[in-house]
Amino acid sequence: MTTVPTTRESPGEGTGGTDRARPAGILHDSVSVFVRELRPVIRDPFSLVFSLMQPLMFLAFFGPLLGGMTGLPLDRAFQWFVPGIVVMIALFGTAMTGSNLLFEIQSGAHERMLVAPVTRSALMVGRACKEMVPLVLQALVLSGVAAFFGFRPSLSGMAVGLAILAVFGVGLGALSYALAIVSRNRDWMFWTVQQGLLFPLMLLSGMLLPLEAGPRWMQVLSRFNPLTYMVDAERALFNGQFGDPAVPAGALAAVVLAALGLAVGIRAMRNSI
């Protein structure tokens, strides 16, 4: 006699069944994926230190150069410069995360994860949330180093700024994972798109140099760059200017990017094979 199963597997949701398709099941699975993805970071903390080499070089060489160009004392130049470098950490760190997934896809590890008893939505959400941890730790280390050069952030503003930046990092990380899934059979496409977008976004955000002195066309393009609003918000918050209009604009840009990134990333993960 044939028995009829009482639950059915939701399409594209792994082997978790309908219970795991519920919010509580997705949350549980997301936490499990988050912990799994975080373990390599905990076991190899030196990777975080190594990834700080580039922003620390910018801090050591570009910061004093900027102070000399603008005529500002070094401590005031760092008050303007360091928040932009913190955003740069988020940009480079989260934009590169897709390369790890691309390696797992090519090695077959990703296929084994797809048949695990977790929802595919959780695979994306857990991975994306993991990117918040190294992002915040690196920002704290960088700010601590900059303090030796006179950088004095508002601690409460810094906490709010890092929270907004973490939301931004979740969205950007999810988009990076989606790009890795789309380009799984053409890894060159991942690096072409990533590098083709990374540096224009960075330069058009005013992250390194003030755009007020730049040509008009760059100022116009910067208004369409979500990083511009993030950089302006971080500078306001790190300096304790909670009432600055840049703060809600940056928070809105972070939330929109996170929603867009997770929507695109979850869709890509569900359709991955």
Side-chain angles (χ1 to χ4, degrees):
M1 180 177 179
T2 304
T3 58
V4 180
T6 57
T7 61
R8 292 180 58 193
E9 179 183 336
S10 300
E13 289 296 335
T15 60
T18 55
D19 287 340
R20 289 191 177 274
R22 295 171 182 168
I26 294 175
L27 177 61
H28 177 273
D29 291 348
S30 298
V31 172
S32 299
V33 175
F34 172 83
V35 173
R36 173 188 178 273
E37 294 294 320
L38 194 60
R39 282 173 182 164
V41 178
I42 298 175
R43 292 171 182 169
D44 185 23
F46 291 103
S47 61
L48 292 177
V49 178
F50 181 77
S51 63
L52 276 169
M53 291 302 296
Q54 185 184 45
L56 286 175
M57 293 292 284
F58 272 93
L59 194 69
F61 294 105
F62 204 91
L65 179 62
L66 178 65
M69 291 173 57
T70 58
L72 293 174
L74 187 59
D75 57 343
R76 289 186 59 191
F78 271 28
Q79 290 296 130
W80 184 91
F81 185 62
V82 172
I85 296 301
V86 171
V87 179
M88 186 179 76
I89 292 176
L91 176 65
F92 278 84
T94 54
M96 289 289 293
T97 54
S99 61
N100 298 328
L101 179 58
L102 190 61
F103 175 77
E104 290 186 6
I105 293 174
Q106 294 173 343
S107 65
H110 180 63
E111 290 185 3
R112 293 192 291 273
M113 282 294 297
L114 291 179
V115 298
V118 294
T119 61
R120 294 192 178 184
S121 300
L123 289 175
M124 176 57 65
V125 174
R127 285 176 179 270
C129 289
K130 185 270 296 185
E131 304 308 326
M132 295 189 297
V133 177
L135 189 158
V136 172
L137 291 177
Q138 290 171 335
L140 290 174
V141 172
L142 183 72
S143 299
V145 173
F148 289 100
F149 298 93
F151 177 59
R152 296 293 182 268
S154 163
L155 295 182
S156 56
M158 184 176 176
V160 175
L162 290 179
I164 294 176
L165 201 58
V167 175
F168 172 84
V170 168
L172 192 59
L175 288 175
S176 182
Y177 286 131
L179 178 60
I181 293 172
V182 171
S183 58
R184 58 187 176 273
N185 297 322
R186 301 176 296 278
D187 56 350
W188 58 266
M189 187 174 76
F190 175 85
W191 297 109
T192 301
V193 174
Q194 191 244 27
Q195 294 297 316
L197 292 177
L198 206 61
F199 288 98
L201 288 174
M202 180 181 71
L203 295 174
L204 288 173
S205 68
M207 189 181 296
L208 302 177
L209 291 170
L211 287 176
E212 288 79 3
R216 179 62 181 168
W217 63 268
M218 291 187 69
Q219 296 179 25
V220 172
L221 287 178
S222 71
R223 295 296 97 191
F224 297 93
N225 183 3
L227 274 179
T228 301
Y229 303 97
M230 289 300 306
V231 170
D232 291 344
E234 295 300 308
R235 284 183 177 136
L237 288 168
F238 272 58
N239 286 281
Q241 300 168 355
F242 288 93
D244 195 305
V247 174
L252 178 62
V255 171
V256 170
L257 184 66
L260 176 64
L262 287 174
V264 173
I266 289 173
R267 181 180 178 83
M269 186 67 75
R270 284 175 174 172
N271 295 333
S272 64
I273 56 174

